[in-house]
Amino acid sequence: MSIMSRLKAALLGTSILLAALSPQAEIVSHATAATTKTAMESAVRATLPNGLRVVIVPDRLAPVVQTQVIYLAGSTSTPENFPGTAHALEHMMFNGSKGLSRDQLSTVSARIGDNNNAFTTEDTTQYYFQTPAQNLGLLLHIEADRMRGALLTETDWDHERGAIEQEVSRDLSMPFERYMIRQNKALFGGTPYEHNALGTLPSFDKTDATVLRRFYDSWYQPNNAILLIVGDVDPQQTLAQVRSEFGSISAGKVPSRPVINLKPVTAQTINEDSDLGEGVLTLGYRMPGARDPDYATAQILADALGSQRGALFELVPQGKALATEFQYSAHAHVGSGNAVAAYPKGQDPKAVLTAVQNVMAQIRAHGVPAELVEAAKRKEIAELEFDANSITDLAESWAGALALNGVSSPADLVQAFRDVTPAKVNALAAKVLDPAHTVTGILTPTDTGKPTSGEGKGPEHLLTPPTTAIALPGWAQKEITTLNLPPAAPQPAAFTLPNGLRVLVQPEHVSHTVRLYGSIRHQNDLEEPKGKEGVAGLTNELFLFGSTTRDRLALAAALDDLAADANGGTSFSLSALSPNFDKALALLADNELHPAFPAQAFSVLQHQSVAARGGILQSPAYRFQRAGLKALNPLTDPTLRETTPQSLAHLTLQDVRDFYAKAYRPDLTTIVIIGDITPEHARQAIETQFGPWKAQGPAPVVDLPPRPLSKESHSIVSDPGRLQDSVYLLETVGSGVRNADRYALEVGNQLLGTGFSSRLLQDLRVRTGMVYSAGSALEWSRNRGAFLVVFGADPNKVNAARKAAERDVQDMRDKPAASEELAIAKASLLRAMPMSRASFDALAGQYLELINLGLPLNEPDERARAIYGMTPEAVQAAYQKWIRPGDLAQVVRGPAPI
């Protein structure tokens, strides 16, 4: 996971001439050009008389369709002093329209799979739905109705304000989000881009329905929107549906767009307290936007700067940084780039800051190696081919090209990337990597951080929940009343090698790519020898350093030549264009079966791990996780073993080699291959590369034993830098995944805490505004189960939110669900099942999870039949037997609840 991703969640030598002439380069170039053109040419485009641009992109991966309505208005279009207006309107678009009330919308959404949301950026506001393909008509009707029919009442805004202010509190509790707010002002001051798209608490305090209506009438017009439809659809029939639904909407007058007048960036350093377990520093640069002629050059520069063969990443194996990366984010008219490095808590950041500054200075003066430019070009072009492997990724690729890049399709970017030269990249580097215009950020871990903004308001207005079943309009009722079992999922080809390695192959020909997902069943808490805690993690990290035949740089170069990605470890993977699969597989297998484990790399990683571990152990994120484990498990449970600086310091390279020999075994391994390949080809390739792999000794125990039932407890993990508390309510379930009531519990959880129509979200957010998000989940392993409720709320709302959540859980035990409510939950689960196959990643994840849990591959069909026949009484009985509201432990991260 990248540094920025970790932060937000806590809250990854051939000459240019030879490369151009190599057989691998020719294969990549020709394959990508042909397949990308074919994929893009299948799209249908039209502009309706009212100005609505329509793009329909067929993708036959799954019987699923995704729509995106993209309004070309984001935070840069908001009124002065109201930076959150676009975001506020996004929320309000889910509060009902003339043809569909808020409760009706949430009911319809739930019945068709509950996969919808929206997001606001600086340049756009985008609304997406994903459903079974047969429900496309519903999506079009919903979006047409709220395009000009949103209600936007003062009463609805009064209660929605509470939820959106909780969202602001959540983000202001994340140190990197706070830093980015300040960096935006430094890079884009004096322009609408100086504010992020989230908005501010003062902005929402001033906002009312009049402000929202004015913004809506100005920008939410068909001639300022793009309707993107991606999935298993007939383009011409779909276009006819679009004309029928949207054709009668009149065009409107759209205001002129803001003029962006950028001022020179003044070099400065921004210091921010952090609750992270490691220090982070960043050098921020203003870079070209998505519509700039230099956009493609900027993207290639960013890729080259972040390459594992580049000088920035070299700081990691040199022991000068824990991790590094370069991140490029492009808005429509301006962009930002960040060279990021992590260092141990308590260490003076000066040394790593100087090292990063020296790297960037050398790149500015001398440029990046030409081979890294060419490798980046190959991978960017290949990535357009990989996008077809996910209906969501394909939609995002098209949305970015249309709305941000301002081109007619992602294919237009191919030529732009091809036209990038090392000279162009180096000229741009010399221009943007100027220390005189660099914003330096230092996020220092501290135990005394303070919030940087005021609290959100409490819920002043409560909405009365519906007392009867929601009556749907005829056009919706007709389409979703009848519930059928989803079609049986196709089964992959399966075989097992003589060494015990299990292989599943699912041919999918939506692109000319192949993806491999490998998983070795393991349980570090059981497999690591006593006193050797941390050896599993070090072993995994050392795969970066290549094999006994190719060192780190040689392996990375060989993969770059193929425009492929591969990673070794207990979870290993490969992504390759189909003509290059065999060559890339050989590289992966060499790394996985013959890791180098070089002594120097071990020494560096061990030193870094020891230095970083103390800060991680002290971090609120770690202590929050730890508190949750303690609430669920007895003190002697294996999951409470802890990796410490001392256990890491005592490790030897021989410990790593011994652990690898014991834990990395073919008889505990499953490989899933999905893509443009036949089962016969895949079998031959896997047998060739992984057939010689042999297990040593008896197989280790990798399943945790059953555990006793947990009891009520309370713990608070102090995190002074947070505005908002994160809250877990959790307990053990006295069974593993083979629980006979598992499907009844799942249906109950759908009622209780999954999706916008769930009881928890309705009671804690929609009707009270106490939280921004809330939900519940059941987690299973072979011998264990757990139930948890999670929400985030300001400290003065935590106690009330908990009481409401406990009431909802108790109600699941006290009375059976109404038949209409149960029907919604069942429909949501059943109609969501095809969407679990709407990407290669999701499909592979499903197969690997089933195998890890010891369940048959046809279990999804068994699950569907059980859900289809579920009764309210069965759900109630399951909750009475397995869920214990009185035993819920509470774990809070943040200020003590008031």
PDB file of all heavy atoms in Angstrom, residues 602-626:
ATOM      1  N   PHE A 602      18.686  -7.672   4.108  1.00  0.00           N
ATOM      2  CA  PHE A 602      18.140  -8.086   5.399  1.00  0.00           C
ATOM      3  C   PHE A 602      18.588  -7.136   6.498  1.00  0.00           C
ATOM      4  O   PHE A 602      17.785  -6.694   7.328  1.00  0.00           O
ATOM      5  CB  PHE A 602      18.570  -9.511   5.737  1.00  0.00           C
ATOM      6  CG  PHE A 602      18.264  -9.897   7.167  1.00  0.00           C
ATOM      7  CD1 PHE A 602      16.978 -10.283   7.526  1.00  0.00           C
ATOM      8  CD2 PHE A 602      19.256  -9.854   8.138  1.00  0.00           C
ATOM      9  CE1 PHE A 602      16.689 -10.613   8.843  1.00  0.00           C
ATOM     10  CE2 PHE A 602      18.975 -10.180   9.454  1.00  0.00           C
ATOM     11  CZ  PHE A 602      17.692 -10.576   9.811  1.00  0.00           C
ATOM     12  N   SER A 603      19.862  -6.799   6.497  1.00  0.00           N
ATOM     13  CA  SER A 603      20.390  -5.914   7.530  1.00  0.00           C
ATOM     14  C   SER A 603      19.707  -4.555   7.504  1.00  0.00           C
ATOM     15  O   SER A 603      19.331  -4.002   8.548  1.00  0.00           O
ATOM     16  CB  SER A 603      21.897  -5.756   7.354  1.00  0.00           C
ATOM     17  OG  SER A 603      22.422  -4.872   8.327  1.00  0.00           O
ATOM     18  N   VAL A 604      19.511  -4.017   6.302  1.00  0.00           N
ATOM     19  CA  VAL A 604      18.866  -2.703   6.173  1.00  0.00           C
ATOM     20  C   VAL A 604      17.410  -2.768   6.628  1.00  0.00           C
ATOM     21  O   VAL A 604      16.950  -1.936   7.415  1.00  0.00           O
ATOM     22  CB  VAL A 604      18.953  -2.202   4.714  1.00  0.00           C
ATOM     23  CG1 VAL A 604      18.071  -0.973   4.510  1.00  0.00           C
ATOM     24  CG2 VAL A 604      20.399  -1.863   4.359  1.00  0.00           C
ATOM     25  N   LEU A 605      16.676  -3.760   6.149  1.00  0.00           N
ATOM     26  CA  LEU A 605      15.271  -3.874   6.514  1.00  0.00           C
ATOM     27  C   LEU A 605      15.100  -4.127   8.006  1.00  0.00           C
ATOM     28  O   LEU A 605      14.180  -3.586   8.635  1.00  0.00           O
ATOM     29  CB  LEU A 605      14.606  -4.999   5.727  1.00  0.00           C
ATOM     30  CG  LEU A 605      14.321  -4.731   4.246  1.00  0.00           C
ATOM     31  CD1 LEU A 605      13.601  -5.925   3.632  1.00  0.00           C
ATOM     32  CD2 LEU A 605      13.474  -3.480   4.063  1.00  0.00           C
ATOM     33  N   GLN A 606      15.958  -4.939   8.577  1.00  0.00           N
ATOM     34  CA  GLN A 606      15.863  -5.202  10.009  1.00  0.00           C
ATOM     35  C   GLN A 606      16.093  -3.918  10.798  1.00  0.00           C
ATOM     36  O   GLN A 606      15.340  -3.604  11.731  1.00  0.00           O
ATOM     37  CB  GLN A 606      16.882  -6.265  10.422  1.00  0.00           C
ATOM     38  CG  GLN A 606      16.817  -6.618  11.918  1.00  0.00           C
ATOM     39  CD  GLN A 606      17.891  -7.600  12.328  1.00  0.00           C
ATOM     40  OE1 GLN A 606      19.033  -7.509  11.841  1.00  0.00           O
ATOM     41  NE2 GLN A 606      17.550  -8.544  13.190  1.00  0.00           N
ATOM     42  N   HIS A 607      17.114  -3.172  10.417  1.00  0.00           N
ATOM     43  CA  HIS A 607      17.394  -1.911  11.108  1.00  0.00           C
ATOM     44  C   HIS A 607      16.213  -0.957  10.988  1.00  0.00           C
ATOM     45  O   HIS A 607      15.801  -0.317  11.968  1.00  0.00           O
ATOM     46  CB  HIS A 607      18.660  -1.273  10.526  1.00  0.00           C
ATOM     47  CG  HIS A 607      18.965   0.076  11.114  1.00  0.00           C
ATOM     48  ND1 HIS A 607      19.537   0.231  12.358  1.00  0.00           N
ATOM     49  CD2 HIS A 607      18.760   1.330  10.621  1.00  0.00           C
ATOM     50  CE1 HIS A 607      19.673   1.523  12.622  1.00  0.00           C
ATOM     51  NE2 HIS A 607      19.215   2.215  11.579  1.00  0.00           N
ATOM     52  N   GLN A 608      15.645  -0.841   9.802  1.00  0.00           N
ATOM     53  CA  GLN A 608      14.494   0.043   9.601  1.00  0.00           C
ATOM     54  C   GLN A 608      13.297  -0.426  10.419  1.00  0.00           C
ATOM     55  O   GLN A 608      12.581   0.384  11.023  1.00  0.00           O
ATOM     56  CB  GLN A 608      14.125   0.087   8.123  1.00  0.00           C
ATOM     57  CG  GLN A 608      15.130   0.801   7.234  1.00  0.00           C
ATOM     58  CD  GLN A 608      14.723   0.744   5.771  1.00  0.00           C
ATOM     59  OE1 GLN A 608      14.170  -0.252   5.314  1.00  0.00           O
ATOM     60  NE2 GLN A 608      15.021   1.800   5.042  1.00  0.00           N
ATOM     61  N   SER A 609      13.047  -1.722  10.442  1.00  0.00           N
ATOM     62  CA  SER A 609      11.899  -2.257  11.163  1.00  0.00           C
ATOM     63  C   SER A 609      12.027  -2.017  12.658  1.00  0.00           C
ATOM     64  O   SER A 609      11.047  -1.653  13.331  1.00  0.00           O
ATOM     65  CB  SER A 609      11.752  -3.758  10.888  1.00  0.00           C
ATOM     66  OG  SER A 609      11.514  -3.995   9.512  1.00  0.00           O
ATOM     67  N   VAL A 610      13.234  -2.228  13.187  1.00  0.00           N
ATOM     68  CA  VAL A 610      13.458  -1.977  14.609  1.00  0.00           C
ATOM     69  C   VAL A 610      13.225  -0.500  14.931  1.00  0.00           C
ATOM     70  O   VAL A 610      12.559  -0.149  15.912  1.00  0.00           O
ATOM     71  CB  VAL A 610      14.880  -2.394  15.018  1.00  0.00           C
ATOM     72  CG1 VAL A 610      15.210  -1.920  16.431  1.00  0.00           C
ATOM     73  CG2 VAL A 610      15.033  -3.909  14.934  1.00  0.00           C
ATOM     74  N   ALA A 611      13.751   0.381  14.084  1.00  0.00           N
ATOM     75  CA  ALA A 611      13.609   1.815  14.324  1.00  0.00           C
ATOM     76  C   ALA A 611      12.163   2.270  14.237  1.00  0.00           C
ATOM     77  O   ALA A 611      11.740   3.178  14.970  1.00  0.00           O
ATOM     78  CB  ALA A 611      14.460   2.592  13.317  1.00  0.00           C
ATOM     79  N   ALA A 612      11.399   1.665  13.336  1.00  0.00           N
ATOM     80  CA  ALA A 612      10.018   2.107  13.120  1.00  0.00           C
ATOM     81  C   ALA A 612       9.039   1.477  14.096  1.00  0.00           C
ATOM     82  O   ALA A 612       7.990   2.064  14.381  1.00  0.00           O
ATOM     83  CB  ALA A 612       9.593   1.783  11.694  1.00  0.00           C
ATOM     84  N   ARG A 613       9.365   0.305  14.627  1.00  0.00           N
ATOM     85  CA  ARG A 613       8.353  -0.456  15.372  1.00  0.00           C
ATOM     86  C   ARG A 613       7.895   0.241  16.640  1.00  0.00           C
ATOM     87  O   ARG A 613       6.716   0.176  17.008  1.00  0.00           O
ATOM     88  CB  ARG A 613       8.900  -1.846  15.716  1.00  0.00           C
ATOM     89  CG  ARG A 613       7.823  -2.810  16.223  1.00  0.00           C
ATOM     90  CD  ARG A 613       6.794  -3.062  15.152  1.00  0.00           C
ATOM     91  NE  ARG A 613       5.652  -3.837  15.655  1.00  0.00           N
ATOM     92  CZ  ARG A 613       4.568  -4.079  14.950  1.00  0.00           C
ATOM     93  NH1 ARG A 613       4.466  -3.616  13.716  1.00  0.00           N
ATOM     94  NH2 ARG A 613       3.585  -4.775  15.465  1.00  0.00           N
ATOM     95  N   GLY A 614       8.807   0.913  17.322  1.00  0.00           N
ATOM     96  CA  GLY A 614       8.417   1.597  18.551  1.00  0.00           C
ATOM     97  C   GLY A 614       7.339   2.626  18.309  1.00  0.00           C
ATOM     98  O   GLY A 614       6.367   2.725  19.074  1.00  0.00           O
ATOM     99  N   GLY A 615       7.477   3.407  17.241  1.00  0.00           N
ATOM    100  CA  GLY A 615       6.460   4.400  16.920  1.00  0.00           C
ATOM    101  C   GLY A 615       5.138   3.770  16.548  1.00  0.00           C
ATOM    102  O   GLY A 615       4.064   4.289  16.900  1.00  0.00           O
ATOM    103  N   ILE A 616       5.204   2.655  15.833  1.00  0.00           N
ATOM    104  CA  ILE A 616       3.966   1.974  15.452  1.00  0.00           C
ATOM    105  C   ILE A 616       3.229   1.474  16.689  1.00  0.00           C
ATOM    106  O   ILE A 616       2.005   1.608  16.803  1.00  0.00           O
ATOM    107  CB  ILE A 616       4.287   0.817  14.488  1.00  0.00           C
ATOM    108  CG1 ILE A 616       4.800   1.370  13.155  1.00  0.00           C
ATOM    109  CG2 ILE A 616       3.070  -0.082  14.288  1.00  0.00           C
ATOM    110  CD1 ILE A 616       5.319   0.320  12.211  1.00  0.00           C
ATOM    111  N   LEU A 617       3.971   0.893  17.645  1.00  0.00           N
ATOM    112  CA  LEU A 617       3.343   0.381  18.862  1.00  0.00           C
ATOM    113  C   LEU A 617       2.676   1.492  19.664  1.00  0.00           C
ATOM    114  O   LEU A 617       1.690   1.254  20.375  1.00  0.00           O
ATOM    115  CB  LEU A 617       4.375  -0.331  19.729  1.00  0.00           C
ATOM    116  CG  LEU A 617       4.990  -1.621  19.157  1.00  0.00           C
ATOM    117  CD1 LEU A 617       6.009  -2.199  20.129  1.00  0.00           C
ATOM    118  CD2 LEU A 617       3.925  -2.651  18.839  1.00  0.00           C
ATOM    119  N   GLN A 618       3.210   2.697  19.569  1.00  0.00           N
ATOM    120  CA  GLN A 618       2.648   3.824  20.307  1.00  0.00           C
ATOM    121  C   GLN A 618       1.509   4.515  19.569  1.00  0.00           C
ATOM    122  O   GLN A 618       0.776   5.319  20.158  1.00  0.00           O
ATOM    123  CB  GLN A 618       3.744   4.858  20.582  1.00  0.00           C
ATOM    124  CG  GLN A 618       4.885   4.364  21.446  1.00  0.00           C
ATOM    125  CD  GLN A 618       6.055   5.335  21.440  1.00  0.00           C
ATOM    126  OE1 GLN A 618       5.900   6.513  21.108  1.00  0.00           O
ATOM    127  NE2 GLN A 618       7.224   4.843  21.799  1.00  0.00           N
ATOM    128  N   SER A 619       1.330   4.235  18.306  1.00  0.00           N
ATOM    129  CA  SER A 619       0.367   4.985  17.494  1.00  0.00           C
ATOM    130  C   SER A 619      -1.059   4.636  17.898  1.00  0.00           C
ATOM    131  O   SER A 619      -1.373   3.496  18.241  1.00  0.00           O
ATOM    132  CB  SER A 619       0.579   4.674  16.014  1.00  0.00           C
ATOM    133  OG  SER A 619       0.213   3.339  15.726  1.00  0.00           O
ATOM    134  N   PRO A 620      -1.952   5.623  17.867  1.00  0.00           N
ATOM    135  CA  PRO A 620      -3.357   5.345  18.187  1.00  0.00           C
ATOM    136  C   PRO A 620      -3.990   4.294  17.279  1.00  0.00           C
ATOM    137  O   PRO A 620      -4.813   3.506  17.738  1.00  0.00           O
ATOM    138  CB  PRO A 620      -4.023   6.714  18.008  1.00  0.00           C
ATOM    139  CG  PRO A 620      -2.934   7.703  18.249  1.00  0.00           C
ATOM    140  CD  PRO A 620      -1.696   7.062  17.686  1.00  0.00           C
ATOM    141  N   ALA A 621      -3.612   4.275  16.001  1.00  0.00           N
ATOM    142  CA  ALA A 621      -4.199   3.288  15.084  1.00  0.00           C
ATOM    143  C   ALA A 621      -3.869   1.875  15.554  1.00  0.00           C
ATOM    144  O   ALA A 621      -4.737   0.984  15.567  1.00  0.00           O
ATOM    145  CB  ALA A 621      -3.685   3.517  13.670  1.00  0.00           C
ATOM    146  N   TYR A 622      -2.605   1.641  15.931  1.00  0.00           N
ATOM    147  CA  TYR A 622      -2.209   0.314  16.400  1.00  0.00           C
ATOM    148  C   TYR A 622      -2.890  -0.010  17.722  1.00  0.00           C
ATOM    149  O   TYR A 622      -3.405  -1.120  17.931  1.00  0.00           O
ATOM    150  CB  TYR A 622      -0.694   0.234  16.557  1.00  0.00           C
ATOM    151  CG  TYR A 622      -0.224  -1.091  17.118  1.00  0.00           C
ATOM    152  CD1 TYR A 622      -0.027  -2.180  16.288  1.00  0.00           C
ATOM    153  CD2 TYR A 622      -0.019  -1.256  18.487  1.00  0.00           C
ATOM    154  CE1 TYR A 622       0.379  -3.411  16.797  1.00  0.00           C
ATOM    155  CE2 TYR A 622       0.391  -2.477  19.006  1.00  0.00           C
ATOM    156  CZ  TYR A 622       0.593  -3.553  18.159  1.00  0.00           C
ATOM    157  OH  TYR A 622       0.987  -4.760  18.668  1.00  0.00           O
ATOM    158  N   ARG A 623      -2.901   0.947  18.642  1.00  0.00           N
ATOM    159  CA  ARG A 623      -3.492   0.698  19.954  1.00  0.00           C
ATOM    160  C   ARG A 623      -5.004   0.472  19.859  1.00  0.00           C
ATOM    161  O   ARG A 623      -5.585  -0.277  20.640  1.00  0.00           O
ATOM    162  CB  ARG A 623      -3.166   1.853  20.896  1.00  0.00           C
ATOM    163  CG  ARG A 623      -1.675   1.905  21.268  1.00  0.00           C
ATOM    164  CD  ARG A 623      -1.344   2.937  22.322  1.00  0.00           C
ATOM    165  NE  ARG A 623      -1.461   4.298  21.829  1.00  0.00           N
ATOM    166  CZ  ARG A 623      -2.322   5.188  22.290  1.00  0.00           C
ATOM    167  NH1 ARG A 623      -3.174   4.864  23.246  1.00  0.00           N
ATOM    168  NH2 ARG A 623      -2.349   6.408  21.799  1.00  0.00           N
ATOM    169  N   PHE A 624      -5.640   1.120  18.881  1.00  0.00           N
ATOM    170  CA  PHE A 624      -7.067   0.904  18.642  1.00  0.00           C
ATOM    171  C   PHE A 624      -7.312  -0.527  18.182  1.00  0.00           C
ATOM    172  O   PHE A 624      -8.208  -1.223  18.685  1.00  0.00           O
ATOM    173  CB  PHE A 624      -7.525   1.904  17.582  1.00  0.00           C
ATOM    174  CG  PHE A 624      -8.999   1.933  17.316  1.00  0.00           C
ATOM    175  CD1 PHE A 624      -9.925   1.915  18.346  1.00  0.00           C
ATOM    176  CD2 PHE A 624      -9.466   2.003  16.009  1.00  0.00           C
ATOM    177  CE1 PHE A 624     -11.293   1.966  18.096  1.00  0.00           C
ATOM    178  CE2 PHE A 624     -10.828   2.061  15.738  1.00  0.00           C
ATOM    179  CZ  PHE A 624     -11.737   2.031  16.788  1.00  0.00           C
ATOM    180  N   GLN A 625      -6.500  -0.965  17.224  1.00  0.00           N
ATOM    181  CA  GLN A 625      -6.615  -2.350  16.761  1.00  0.00           C
ATOM    182  C   GLN A 625      -6.343  -3.325  17.899  1.00  0.00           C
ATOM    183  O   GLN A 625      -7.045  -4.328  18.077  1.00  0.00           O
ATOM    184  CB  GLN A 625      -5.639  -2.588  15.617  1.00  0.00           C
ATOM    185  CG  GLN A 625      -5.571  -4.029  15.147  1.00  0.00           C
ATOM    186  CD  GLN A 625      -4.228  -4.389  14.536  1.00  0.00           C
ATOM    187  OE1 GLN A 625      -3.193  -3.854  14.932  1.00  0.00           O
ATOM    188  NE2 GLN A 625      -4.256  -5.285  13.583  1.00  0.00           N
ATOM    189  N   ARG A 626      -5.344  -3.018  18.684  1.00  0.00           N
ATOM    190  CA  ARG A 626      -4.956  -3.879  19.805  1.00  0.00           C
ATOM    191  C   ARG A 626      -6.078  -3.964  20.846  1.00  0.00           C
ATOM    192  O   ARG A 626      -6.374  -5.041  21.372  1.00  0.00           O
ATOM    193  CB  ARG A 626      -3.684  -3.318  20.432  1.00  0.00           C
ATOM    194  CG  ARG A 626      -3.066  -4.162  21.525  1.00  0.00           C
ATOM    195  CD  ARG A 626      -2.217  -5.243  20.946  1.00  0.00           C
ATOM    196  NE  ARG A 626      -1.568  -6.020  21.992  1.00  0.00           N
ATOM    197  CZ  ARG A 626      -1.012  -7.202  21.794  1.00  0.00           C
ATOM    198  NH1 ARG A 626      -1.031  -7.739  20.586  1.00  0.00           N
ATOM    199  NH2 ARG A 626      -0.426  -7.857  22.773  1.00  0.00           N
TER     200      ARG A 626
END
